Amino acid sequence: MLVERDHIGIFGKMNSGKSTLMNLLTQQETSIVDSTPGTTADTKITLQEIHGMGPVKLFDTAGLDEGTGLGEKKKKKVLSTLKECDLVLLIIDPSTDEFETEALVLEEARQLDKQLLVIYNLFQAVDEEKIANVERELPYIQFHHKLRITANNPAFRQPLLEFILGNFESKNQQLELLPFVEKDQFYILNIPMDEETPPGRYLRPQAMAEEYITRHWAFPVSFRMDLGKARSGDPSERKRWDDFLASLQRRPKAIVTDSQAMDIMKDWAPDDMLLTTFSIMMINYVSRGKLNGFHEGINALEHIKAGDRILIAEACNHSRIKEDIGIVQIPRYIQQHFPGVEVEHNFGREFQENKELEKYSLVIHCGGCMISGQKMQARIRDLEAIGIPFTNYGIFLSYIQGRKSLDRVMVPWR
């Protein structure tokens, strides 16, 4: 397997300690260090192997605040380098008073969905008021993990490495879409196909599941459930389901269902089959295995009270009609069971621009099938940094059927 190098860039203003940080990471004089502003004239690149992460490419960039014609050229090069990076290390000297450079790096990184970690370089004993001033001047900094070091002290190298390893998602991490799939086993895909289902194709999660199962030498079998008949108690629909199961040559190992069918599948799925949902599958995949965070977030419902706000976040802008999950089904349940709780919506890609996330007691996110893993992870990092619990459509719709149902759909992921 070809392993790509993770690109890690060091950014900040002149004399903040960028080159010193580079030398701390590489344990050698990779970059020239001098008190003269603008010593780093161009981006310095070095290749390194970091234990626990693998091969990386490190970028020591020029200061973004050099106010000359050459400085503008350097700035353009630095911002171009930022686009290439998987991880941005923003180094800040809190003893300074102006933070336009840091604000620019934060804004650019957020626009590009870059992972960013903040390094406070303390040249002397820390003045807590100085740190507080930085965080007042840079409100976006609250969304990012921070570490305080003295960059010219070798004793801080190990804490720095642990900080990076503990907070950076490498692009080389491998994740299986359906880790429980086994060769020659049958897997049922329960696809109700409501009025929002586009003609001529499956939705992306359904198509991905079918492809994954087939690629792994197993057998995907689709079933279109009539939810209207099933919910009305029409015996013909239950018979059709039972006949379908009986017709399969081998007992299916698992069922992956549309989340909105959980009220039926919690009773109809045989006990000897694994059960989960497309939405849970996707949020685990797009978040790079952060499913436990979404699972834990559902516990916030135990403490929701009148006056609290819940944000329903959906990553796409499909045409919404009738019994839409995000705008009808979930809000209706909340209104019925949590009177006085306000429900707000956020559609599409503007989520990260919402500067008022702290007002929410819970964020309920869709499967995220229409956004990149980088963008989803950026959303998770924002919410984790400010302590806002978050969950997912599939988890929510399973939870409202009872803890037993929720526990069951989580079993395949353990």
Side-chain angles (χ1 to χ4, degrees), residues 5-11 18 21-22 25-26 43-50 53-61 81-90 114-117 119 160-161 163-165 168-171:
R5 290 182 182 272
D6 287 305
H7 291 189
I8 301 176
I10 304 170
F11 298 83
K18 297 186 301 300
L21 186 68
M22 175 74 130
L25 284 167
T26 61
T43 299
K44 176 70 176 178
I45 301 174
T46 191
L47 305 180
Q48 186 180 9
E49 185 90 14
I50 294 181
M53 183 182 301
V56 300
K57 181 183 286 189
L58 298 172
F59 298 80
D60 174 20
T61 64
T81 299
L82 190 148
K83 293 179 181 179
E84 300 178 30
C85 289
D86 301 294
L87 174 63
V88 172
L89 297 180
L90 173 59
K114 299 296 183 181
Q115 297 183 62
L116 183 145
L117 299 175
I119 311 291
L160 174 62
L161 291 176
F163 177 65
I164 293 172
L165 288 169
F168 171 55
E169 299 282 347
S170 169
K171 65 186 176 186

Side-chain angles (χ1 to χ4, degrees), residues 350-398:
E350 70 273 13
F351 174 85
Q352 71 170 32
E353 300 304 323
N354 190 329
K355 301 185 178 88
E356 299 181 341
L357 289 173
E358 289 179 318
K359 71 183 181 181
Y360 298 112
S361 299
L362 176 65
V363 174
I364 305 175
H365 206 289
C366 68
C369 62
M370 298 307 293
I371 57 175
S372 66
Q374 292 91 334
K375 182 169 285 294
M376 176 57 71
Q377 290 170 72
R379 294 181 174 192
I380 293 171
R381 287 193 296 273
D382 282 356
L383 294 169
E384 287 180 334
I386 58 178
I388 305 302
F390 51 90
T391 192
N392 156 263
Y393 282 17
I395 290 174
F396 180 92
L397 292 171
S398 300

